Amino acid sequence: MEIKVKYNWPQWPIYSQSVREELHNVLDSNRWAVSGYWTGEECKEKLFAMEYAKYNNTKYCVPTTSGTNALLIALEALGVGYGDEVLVPALTWLATASVVLNVNAKPVLVDVDPESYCMDWRKIEELITSKTKAIIPVHLYGSVCDMDEIMRIAKKHNLYVIEDCAQSHGSEWNGKKVGTIGHLGCFSFQQAKVLTAGEGGAVITNDYEVKLRLEQLRADGRVLADQNEAVKGSLQLIEVGKIQGSNRCLSEFQAAILIEQLKLLENQNDYRQQAAEYLDNELLKIPGIKVQERPISVNKQTYYSYIIKIDQNEYPFIDARDVVNKLQEKLVVGDFHIHSPYNAIHKNKLFCPWLKNRYPEHLSMSEEYWRNQSFPIAEGAIEELVVLHHCMLLSDKELLDVFIKNFKEIITL
């Protein structure tokens, strides 16, 4: 009988001790949301927005309840809606596509690059029509889309670019933070992300008018008054009503957590990058093993996940899903730490718009329409990729060596 070794793998989330104090401060403040009354002190939500805008070297940040809602208000702020088409990658979390449907536009899937697994810019132009309004490139796992080419195409065809940075907090393309290259940048602070408050999201922009629309879209048509305009004991939200919004406001508790966790982000990202480089050096010594490509224009890479590619030409009888299962068993970890990549959106059972009555038929289409689409690279990812959650990159060298040793043994059996 094999004896299971209990390894002390890093867990996630981890948090600074100052988070406890800040949460208590919110409890005692009598203001738990931006919709609460002015207490004489600036709300945490606005303080976080200022800090996150500063971190990204951009003028404005509008927090919201999730990365999905960040994408939704970004689309609405740019006027994307009924009759429009939006290009999204075929390999990503399904929210990038479903949120397009939720503004009554049509998601048009684009296959991904076989090395980076990000949207393949070479396949964009053939899908552009007179109805195309925007492109949503996703900086996936541990790589960045080719933003030079995507912005070139967008400018040529007069399209908006909304960067989905839910998995790439802090990455830089030619010295610019991701999220600041396109027209808008959207982030998620969900449980698994490198910057998390359990849930939450944000949109960043340098455009003041767009920022005002974003604020109204996430607060029922209201914006926050400045401190010098706020009246103690009264609501800080001002009813503007120039665009109809909904209640998608980040709570003060979440904002307090994010303010403190943001202070840790750069050091954690640097540690992950060093671990990723170590894994690169060791894993690439194994014949037929590759890692996710990071373009040379990426001068700072952050990691939501670390991706290992098993070359099917070298290992024609190995399915990466079996490798994942064996790693989980040998290393005593669950599918949070080590798992398979996303299913391609059109093959993902969670993507089923034909089951919702809210979508018109020309958007929801049919199960046959979506499932029969073909995106070979996106579809093949699940058979050839092993995905490590970013907390694995917070392991020490000894634990990384344990992973490498077990991976080699499984591959070469």
Side-chain angles (χ1 to χ4, degrees), residues 140-211:
L140 192 71
Y141 293 137
S143 193
V144 175
C145 298
D146 191 326
M147 291 307 298
D148 291 342
E149 292 295 340
I150 289 174
M151 294 307 296
R152 177 187 64 79
I153 294 168
K155 184 176 181 181
K156 176 181 176 181
H157 295 276
N158 195 29
L159 304 176
Y160 292 118
V161 174
I162 301 171
E163 293 179 72
D164 185 336
C165 310
Q167 302 182 12
S168 201
H169 308 66
S171 293
E172 294 181 7
W173 178 273
N174 286 330
K176 295 187 70 174
K177 285 280 202 312
V178 296
T180 66
I181 305 163
H183 298 88
L184 295 174
C186 297
F187 294 83
S188 169
F189 309 125
Q190 177 267 346
Q191 162 93 14
K193 302 304 189 291
V194 296
L195 179 63
T196 180
E199 286 289 357
V203 187
I204 58 174
T205 180
N206 284 313
D207 188 315
Y208 179 72
E209 292 301 321
V210 171
K211 173 251 190 185

Side-chain angles (χ1 to χ4, degrees), residues 155-377:
K155 184 176 181 181
K156 176 181 176 181
H157 295 276
N158 195 29
L159 304 176
Y160 292 118
V161 174
I162 301 171
E163 293 179 72
D164 185 336
C165 310
Q167 302 182 12
S168 201
H169 308 66
S171 293
E172 294 181 7
W173 178 273
N174 286 330
K176 295 187 70 174
K177 285 280 202 312
V178 296
T180 66
I181 305 163
H183 298 88
L184 295 174
C186 297
F187 294 83
S188 169
F189 309 125
Q190 177 267 346
Q191 162 93 14
K193 302 304 189 291
V194 296
L195 179 63
T196 180
E199 286 289 357
V203 187
I204 58 174
T205 180
N206 284 313
D207 188 315
Y208 179 72
E209 292 301 321
V210 171
K211 173 251 190 185
L212 288 179
R213 291 199 292 275
L214 290 165
E215 284 189 329
Q216 292 174 72
L217 285 163
R218 71 87 159 89
D220 288 315
R222 300 172 292 178
V223 300
L224 283 172
D226 292 332
Q227 290 190 55
N228 58 356
E229 298 174 329
V231 178
K232 197 168 183 179
S234 298
L235 299 185
Q236 190 180 3
L237 285 171
I238 300 172
E239 296 183 1
V240 179
K242 290 184 178 179
I243 186 170
Q244 181 168 306
S246 296
N247 180 13
R248 300 186 178 95
C249 294
L250 193 73
S251 79
E252 289 293 273
F253 296 101
Q254 293 166 300
I257 293 171
L258 290 168
I259 289 170
E260 296 305 308
Q261 294 301 94
L262 183 58
K263 297 173 184 177
L264 307 179
L265 182 58
E266 280 299 284
N267 285 338
Q268 290 174 342
N269 278 343
D270 289 344
Y271 194 100
R272 293 185 189 99
Q273 186 163 7
Q274 291 171 22
E277 290 169 358
Y278 181 74
L279 287 174
D280 287 353
N281 290 332
E282 297 303 313
L283 292 171
L284 290 176
K285 295 175 183 176
I286 307 171
I289 298 303
K290 301 179 180 180
V291 298
Q292 186 180 20
E293 181 185 82
R294 295 122 207 165
I296 58 173
S297 294
V298 179
N299 52 283
K300 183 175 180 62
Q301 181 62 61
T302 61
Y303 292 85
Y304 174 63
S305 301
Y306 182 87
I307 303 302
I308 304 167
K309 180 178 180 179
I310 302 170
D311 191 330
Q312 300 292 291
N313 293 318
E314 187 81 19
Y315 302 98
F317 303 111
I318 292 182
D319 189 313
R321 288 169 287 193
D322 295 331
V323 176
V324 166
N325 292 335
K326 291 174 181 177
L327 283 168
Q328 290 172 354
E329 183 179 357
K330 288 175 73 69
L331 300 179
V332 196
V333 295
D335 59 7
F336 183 79
H337 283 74
I338 303 174
H339 53 90
S340 295
Y342 303 120
N343 267 316
I345 287 176
H346 63 298
K347 299 293 186 182
N348 191 326
K349 66 181 180 181
L350 301 179
F351 184 76
C352 44
W354 58 89
L355 298 179
K356 295 193 78 168
N357 290 332
R358 67 176 294 181
Y359 302 136
E361 287 186 10
H362 76 278
L363 293 183
S364 63
M365 305 299 285
S366 65
E367 182 174 8
E368 182 181 28
Y369 169 82
W370 290 107
R371 298 293 189 239
N372 287 343
Q373 291 192 30
S374 176
F375 302 98
I377 307 302

